[in-house]
Amino acid sequence: MAQTDTVTRILDTAEVLFAERGFAETSLRTITSKARVNLAAVNYHFGSKKSLIQAVFSRYLDPFTTRFHRALDELQARYGDEVIPLEVLLETMARSVLEVPAERNSLKVFMRLLGLAYSQAQGHLRRYIQEEYGSVFARFTELVRQATPELPDAERFWRLHFMLGTVIFTLSGLDALRDIAEKDYGEHVTVRDLIRRLRPVVVSAMQAPLPAPPPRE
Amino acid sequence: MAQTDTVTRILDTAEVLFAERGFAETSLRTITSKARVNLAAVNYHFGSKKSLIQAVFSRYLDPFTTRFHRALDELQARYGDEVIPLEVLLETMARSVLEVPAERNSLKVFMRLLGLAYSQAQGHLRRYIQEEYGSVFARFTELVRQATPELPDAERFWRLHFMLGTVIFTLSGLDALRDIAEKDYGEHVTVRDLIRRLRPVVVSAMQAPLPAPPPRE
DNA sequence: TCCGGTTATAAACGACTGTTTCAAACGTAG
DNA sequence: CTACGTTTGAAACAGTCGTTTATAACCGGA
């Protein structure tokens, strides 16, 4: 079937180019010519550039949320009524992320896309992701809440986003950082390597002492 | 003098629009019409859009690096040959960042710009910032090295970038996050508030235990 | 007052953007 | 084999983009 081939060739090419240059900087002509596909094919199969962008995201996020939900199911079955420790939760999330590239392209592309989704103001994208995948995140944060009962709700909210920032920022800007690190420390860094380094940092950050109360004025 | 007025009006308008939408998504026509300035004025005064972007950055980064260098001078004078504690270094950097909006527009814009500089691939910007302001960062990292002698160099490098990610990511995406936080916890969050919350997190993260050695293969 | 260099303006340039059109090719069910 | 819905193809559309050009306005010094 030629149709499916065209569709996946567009998606395969688009995700790489989007990850490399961003959405606005990647034209449909660049995508279609690199994918050796007619220009009109994008609008025919996806309707618009916006929809193409969302389709690129779905192809990563759908497998991820499926896996993540399943992993949380197993975790809750295993722990029953007991509280799942924070380290286990974080570990599970990390593993779910790492498993995505098994069926999709590369973890690097996945992370770059997530980074773009946050940094690019692109209102429609944030809304789309929030609506489509907000429930997994809600489920995860609830489990984190049970694992860190000593944290005030607001504090936990912010710390989770701090850590989200750490991971997405680092992994999505990895290429640039890797160049520097390689030059200065002669060490070639893999993504798995970085995740190994991230683990203790994230755990310590989540368990940091509470901040001093705001100064009275 | 009408010239300077035009120049600053372009810069004032451009920095806000860039921070809101990104560089590619902000056209010169949008900038000039909002600034009530002729379209050709940008190319006349700045030469090109690229140069305008760099000029916007300089107007924030120049005051920041000046202040930061001066603050580090004072710190080294005060501590003499003694090692400056990590908390003090981080505190000093935070204060230098916070002081910038005193002479420029808003901290929010500053942070958004930094976030864009990282996330947008825009090769020329990263190169420009690295060349122009790399020395302050090098000075700071050397002081951090002395403050954390137990950390392997590579580990410290990565952790510093982790924390950079945390701060820039959080503060540059603040508007979106603030909306959620306000809705869920009814708490209006200021930037100073966030920095207060960030402090213990960053310190704990930098002092986290070393990661497990990479698995043998 | 007239000059000369700096700044402002309007208009146009060519290149590129996402999208649409419509005819040609295709693949399959009858 | 024919007819029909799906998919491709080349071309054009209507805009927008950054940049350039040529002309006009400005303004302090001679």
Side-chain angles (χ1 to χ4, degrees):
Chain A
M1 47 182 77
Q3 170 210 0
T4 301
D5 188 58
T6 300
V7 169
T8 66
R9 209 153 64 230
I10 291 175
L11 287 171
D12 288 343
T13 313
E15 70 176 27
V16 173
L17 291 175
F18 284 155
E20 281 175 358
R21 331 180 179 180
F23 305 119
E25 296 84 352
T26 305
S27 72
L28 294 185
R29 283 172 175 80
T30 312
I31 296 173
T32 53
S33 74
K34 197 155 209 164
R36 282 173 305 120
V37 152
N38 190 272
L39 168 62
V42 169
N43 288 281
Y44 176 74
H45 287 288
F46 297 94
S48 68
K49 188 180 181 181
K50 273 189 188 178
S51 307
L52 170 61
I53 295 176
Q54 296 182 354
V56 167
F57 269 88
S58 302
R59 219 164 52 136
Y60 276 95
L61 287 179
D62 285 344
F64 166 70
T65 50
T66 304
R67 284 173 178 277
F68 195 34
H69 260 131
R70 196 159 46 214
L72 292 181
D73 288 343
E74 290 172 16
L75 227 51
Q76 290 188 299
R78 175 140 35 97
Y79 280 85
D81 284 345
E82 286 180 61
V83 174
I84 307 171
L86 179 63
E87 290 89 339
V88 176
L89 287 172
L90 297 174
E91 195 73 38
T92 302
M93 180 169 204
R95 199 171 22 250
S96 299
V97 171
L98 283 173
E99 279 171 354
V100 170
E103 38 192 303
R104 281 256 37 74
N105 197 342
S106 77
L107 183 56
K108 189 182 84 183
V109 170
F110 187 23
M111 286 293 127
R112 271 293 286 169
L113 290 177
L114 283 184
L116 287 176
Y118 262 84
S119 64
Q120 306 243 148
Q122 299 262 136
H124 77 98
L125 231 191
R126 212 192 297 264
R127 251 177 286 122
Y128 169 77
I129 293 184
Q130 184 116 353
E131 286 173 14
E132 213 76 5
Y133 307 98
S135 65
V136 210
F137 193 67
R139 183 180 177 188
F140 179 71
T141 51
E142 169 57 23
L143 290 175
V144 171
R145 192 185 67 73
Q146 295 170 18
T148 56
E150 73 285 1
L151 279 184
D153 283 355
E155 188 68 27
R156 180 172 39 244
F157 169 85
W158 285 109
R159 290 194 180 182
L160 272 176
H161 280 286
F162 293 163
M163 297 304 97
L164 208 61
T166 308
V167 175
I168 292 183
F169 182 91
T170 308
L171 296 187
S172 89
L174 187 132
D175 281 0
L177 292 176
R178 175 151 46 195
D179 288 351
I180 308 174
E182 206 152 341
K183 184 153 54 67
D184 290 6
Y185 308 107
E187 184 184 4
H188 184 82
V189 186
T190 68
V191 174
R192 300 195 116 77
D193 232 19
L194 269 189
I195 294 196
R196 186 177 55 82
R197 290 186 193 278
L198 276 166
R199 218 229 306 207
V201 169
V202 170
V203 171
S204 291
M206 287 298 293
Q207 294 170 341
L210 290 180
R216 330 252 306 107
E217 27 187 338
Chain B
M1 46 183 77
Q3 170 209 1
T4 299
D5 188 57
T6 300
V7 168
T8 65
R9 207 153 64 230
I10 291 175
L11 286 171
D12 286 345
T13 314
E15 70 176 28
V16 173
L17 291 175
F18 284 154
E20 281 176 357
R21 331 179 179 182
F23 306 119
E25 295 84 350
T26 306
S27 73
L28 295 184
R29 284 172 175 80
T30 311
I31 296 173
T32 53
S33 76
K34 196 155 210 165
R36 280 174 305 120
V37 152
N38 190 272
L39 167 62
V42 169
N43 289 279
Y44 177 76
H45 287 289
F46 297 94
S48 67
K49 188 179 179 179
K50 274 189 189 178
S51 306
L52 170 63
I53 295 175
Q54 296 182 355
V56 167
F57 270 88
S58 303
R59 218 162 54 135
Y60 276 95
L61 285 179
D62 285 343
F64 166 70
T65 51
T66 304
R67 283 173 178 277
F68 194 35
H69 260 132
R70 195 158 47 216
L72 291 181
D73 287 343
E74 289 172 16
L75 228 49
Q76 289 188 299
R78 174 138 37 96
Y79 279 85
D81 284 344
E82 283 181 64
V83 174
I84 308 170
L86 179 64
E87 289 88 338
V88 176
L89 286 172
L90 296 174
E91 194 73 38
T92 303
M93 181 170 204
R95 198 168 25 248
S96 299
V97 170
L98 282 174
E99 279 171 352
V100 169
E103 38 191 304
R104 280 256 36 74
N105 196 342
S106 76
L107 182 56
K108 187 183 83 180
V109 170
F110 187 23
M111 286 291 125
R112 271 293 287 169
L113 290 176
L114 283 185
L116 286 177
Y118 262 86
S119 66
Q120 306 245 148
Q122 300 260 134
H124 78 98
L125 230 191
R126 213 194 296 266
R127 251 178 286 120
Y128 169 77
I129 292 183
Q130 184 118 353
E131 286 172 14
E132 214 77 6
Y133 307 97
S135 66
V136 211
F137 192 67
R139 183 181 178 189
F140 179 71
T141 51
E142 169 57 21
L143 291 174
V144 171
R145 194 186 65 74
Q146 295 170 17
T148 55
E150 72 287 359
L151 278 185
D153 283 356
E155 189 66 29
R156 180 170 39 243
F157 169 84
W158 285 109
R159 288 193 181 181
L160 272 176
H161 280 285
F162 293 163
M163 295 305 97
L164 209 60
T166 307
V167 176
I168 292 183
F169 182 91
T170 307
L171 296 187
S172 89
L174 188 131
D175 281 359
L177 292 177
R178 175 152 45 197
D179 287 349
I180 307 175
E182 205 149 341
K183 183 153 55 70
D184 289 8
Y185 309 109
E187 182 185 5
H188 184 81
V189 186
T190 69
V191 174
R192 299 195 117 78
D193 230 20
L194 269 190
I195 294 196
R196 185 178 56 83
R197 289 186 193 276
L198 276 166
R199 219 232 303 211
V201 170
V202 170
V203 171
S204 290
M206 288 298 292
Q207 294 171 341
L210 290 178
R216 330 251 306 108
E217 26 188 333

